[in-house]
Amino acid sequence: MRLSESSLTRLAAQVERPGYDRAQQRVGIVHFGIGAFHRAHQAWYTDRAMEAGDRDWAITGVSLRSPTVAEQLNPQDGLYTVSERSAGADKIRLVGAVRDVLIAPRQREQVIAAIAAPGTRIVSFTVTEKGYCRQANGDLDPDLADADSFYAYLVPALRRRLDAGLPGLTLLSCDNLAENGRQLERLVRQYVDRNDPALLPWIEAECTFPSTMVDRIVPATTAADLAALADRIGLEDAGAVMTEPFSQWVIEDRFAGPRPRWEAVGAELVGDVAPYETAKLRMLNGAHSLLAYCGLARGHEFVHQAIADPELHALTEQLMLAEAAPTIAAAEGQDLALYARNLIARFANPALNHRLIQIAMDGSQKLPQRWLETLAVHQIQERQCPAILAGLGAWIKHLRGANGPVDDPRAAELITAVASADPGEALFGKRGLLALQWHPTGAERAIILA
Ligand code: CS2
């Protein structure tokens, strides 16, 4: 039997459940990109904030493309479980924060109406790096930012709020981009400038774009995970997510209006997110991409296998401690050596089965903030980064098809670039495919193309 409000009496007693009346909670958040990460992170924090006494922060999720999540969650009244996995016992929690899921291309009006509803105060995003529709220089790509992008729902809804005299919104990016709030703000403005310029002053006065650092490793759920879970909890949960016990959320405290008291359930509200975000992108995500491309090249399938490989373990420490950490201006009390040690322990979690190929996708969108910014800092000081160069070399092999078809929004251009006479120039040159301030020297090119 399927998990839902009406089948809850059959849910195994060991599952923790939301200690609040879901029916009393109105929607306060509209979230674009309701994938596994959001369900194990922001929705999980919001659920516990409502349990701690907050009201009216239920979430309407929006899928920009696929109907899958709507099909998973709507028949379950938005309910799903989060399993925290480690070598010890798993912990399972039922999350009640999601009210419903809309499929944007089929329910355009409902999406706009949800954002324009008076009770909505926050619109948040985990649309992945490519969902922001950026050109290589970071500006909005007007061809990509089409009727199916989040901009095409958000901006008409903001216009409706202005016309109705409603307050502005907090627009909260929860993606792995450097200065994600600043980037979102700039891109939304560029879209508005082209489509409804008279809205700009209202956005400036009424909306905010806090930056955030989000962190929780959430591998894609497999059919085997779902079958094992059903045996344990006594119900089928098509929307279940599997994650690690660790979770971190650092949020710039710059909200346009009310917000959940996420800090009551472990989030950190700070004045400046940058040191945390930079460390996370360059150390955690940078190491992840390194393990992905170099690990696949060495025949591994999962992150925990790659980090157990002594050669890759050493390369990962080199990247985190000798290459990334020296480029980060740490906040007071932020211990980057300890951070690196904890990351290695998280990567080694044998219960997660985090696939390297999942991390390897969308390299063109990920590598600028994960590796190229680090390289650029060292280049100014004429220092080498052997671990990142090894990673770039493995990425180029990946683009040449070493691990099967390339999953990247720019796959066609990347494949042409690596087949060209000068791949270094095509990828990283002044007019290269990637947004960067890093131009490899001859020696660096020789290493990555070796
Ligand atoms: C990973 C991230 O898939 C990837 O590229 O590096 O999803 C990573 O697991 C998360 O950012 C962890 O917070």
Side-chain angles (χ1 to χ4, degrees):
M1 182 181 285
R2 191 86 177 261
L3 170 68
S4 72
E5 283 288 351
S6 58
S7 66
L8 275 185
T9 47
R10 292 167 184 249
L11 187 67
Q14 72 187 80
V15 181
E16 232 179 70
R17 24 197 114 203
Y20 56 90
D21 182 357
R22 291 184 80 214
Q24 294 300 313
Q25 299 282 348
R26 281 184 303 228
V27 170
I29 299 174
V30 175
H31 183 81
F32 281 97
I34 180 159
F37 179 77
H38 171 76
R39 282 178 276 157
H41 194 266
Q42 183 184 337
W44 176 83
Y45 279 93
T46 306
D47 182 60
R48 290 176 312 119
M50 291 196 282
E51 179 162 292
D54 271 9
R55 284 287 302 269
D56 299 338
W57 292 112
I59 299 169
T60 284
V62 180
S63 289
L64 281 167
R65 258 164 274 281
S66 142
T68 310
V69 180
E71 287 162 6
Q72 290 167 343
L73 294 189
N74 287 338
Q76 300 185 179
D77 303 312
L79 292 167
Y80 64 92
T81 58
V82 173
S83 299
E84 292 178 13
R85 293 180 145 182
S86 59
D90 289 3
K91 186 170 140 191
I92 309 178
R93 179 176 173 90
L94 180 73
V95 173
V98 176
R99 176 59 40 86
D100 54 354
V101 179
L102 302 174
I103 307 164
R106 297 186 196 165
Q107 295 174 287
R108 175 169 295 273
E109 173 52 31
Q110 284 101 311
V111 174
I112 294 174
I115 300 172
T120 298
R121 308 311 292 264
I122 297 173
V123 174
S124 50
F125 305 83
T126 46
V127 292
T128 80
E129 296 86 344
K130 63 183 169 228
Y132 291 83
C133 310
R134 296 168 302 162
Q135 306 175 41
N137 67 4
D139 284 341
L140 188 76
D141 184 327
D143 295 329
L144 293 177
D146 59 13
D148 294 329
S149 68
F150 72 78
Y151 302 100
Y153 302 89
L154 175 68
V155 172
L158 294 178
R159 157 58 65 188
R160 234 181 251 187
R161 291 186 78 92
L162 162 62
D163 291 345
L166 287 170
L169 296 172
T170 299
L171 302 170
L172 194 66
S173 168
C174 295
D175 279 296
N176 287 318
L177 301 175
E179 304 199 296
N180 51 13
R182 297 297 105 74
Q183 289 211 49
L184 177 64
E185 177 167 19
R186 184 155 160 267
L187 292 159
V188 166
R189 280 187 190 192
Q190 290 177 350
Y191 185 92
V192 172
D193 201 35
R194 298 178 72 95
N195 293 283
D196 186 2
L199 186 58
L200 271 176
W202 182 84
I203 293 182
E204 225 146 273
E206 297 282 332
C207 297
T208 63
F209 300 78
S211 283
T212 63
M213 181 274 245
V214 294
D215 188 11
R216 195 168 214 187
I217 295 172
V218 190
T221 307
T222 65
D225 291 330
L226 293 183
L229 181 76
D231 284 344
R232 284 192 61 179
I233 68 170
L235 289 171
E236 280 160 31
D237 176 5
V241 288
M242 311 288 143
T243 185
E244 59 178 340
F246 180 89
S247 165
Q248 193 178 8
W249 196 11
V250 188
I251 311 167
E252 183 185 6
D253 198 356
R254 205 160 64 92
F255 283 73
R259 61 168 175 79
R261 287 187 314 115
W262 284 312
E263 69 275 29
V265 290
E268 299 155 73
L269 275 292
V270 300
D272 182 12
V273 173
Y276 305 96
E277 190 180 43
T278 313
K280 198 263 173 170
L281 290 170
R282 295 186 192 168
M283 293 176 72
L284 187 158
N285 296 116
H288 250 175
S289 292
L290 183 79
L291 289 166
Y293 300 120
C294 295
L296 288 167
R298 287 170 65 82
H300 302 298
E301 185 179 3
F302 298 114
V303 173
H304 67 269
Q305 295 169 338
I307 198 67
D309 177 333
E311 189 164 312
L312 296 179
H313 189 282
L315 208 57
T316 303
E317 283 192 332
Q318 159 74 23
L319 179 144
M320 291 202 282
L321 295 169
E323 299 177 14
T327 70
I328 298 159
E332 224 183 282
Q334 190 184 15
D335 179 342
L336 296 177
L338 176 66
Y339 187 57
R341 274 204 300 283
N342 289 338
L343 290 178
I344 296 217
R346 288 170 61 197
F347 295 162
N349 184 340
L352 270 186
N353 287 336
H354 193 193
R355 285 203 150 69
L356 297 170
I357 199 75
Q358 183 185 344
I359 302 170
M361 67 189 275
D362 294 352
S364 69
Q365 310 292 304
K366 294 173 174 174
L367 299 184
Q369 59 276 13
R370 294 182 181 202
W371 291 352
L372 304 185
E373 288 181 3
T374 302
L375 279 167
V377 174
H378 286 284
Q379 191 164 57
I380 295 166
Q381 290 152 3
E382 295 184 9
R383 283 195 307 250
Q384 291 290 325
C385 295
I388 295 182
L389 294 183
L392 284 173
W395 180 53
I396 287 172
K397 294 199 177 86
H398 175 78
L399 296 177
R400 292 193 165 130
N403 308 310
V406 176
D407 190 346
D408 192 297
R410 309 192 71 177
E413 296 158 272
L414 293 166
I415 290 165
T416 310
V418 295
S420 72
D422 190 351
E425 184 60 27
L427 291 172
F428 310 113
K430 285 221 159 47
R431 284 184 216 289
L433 282 176
L434 300 175
L436 77 164
Q437 307 84 45
W438 178 71
H439 306 295
T441 61
E444 287 167 337
R445 279 190 199 195
I447 295 171
I448 59 178
L449 298 174

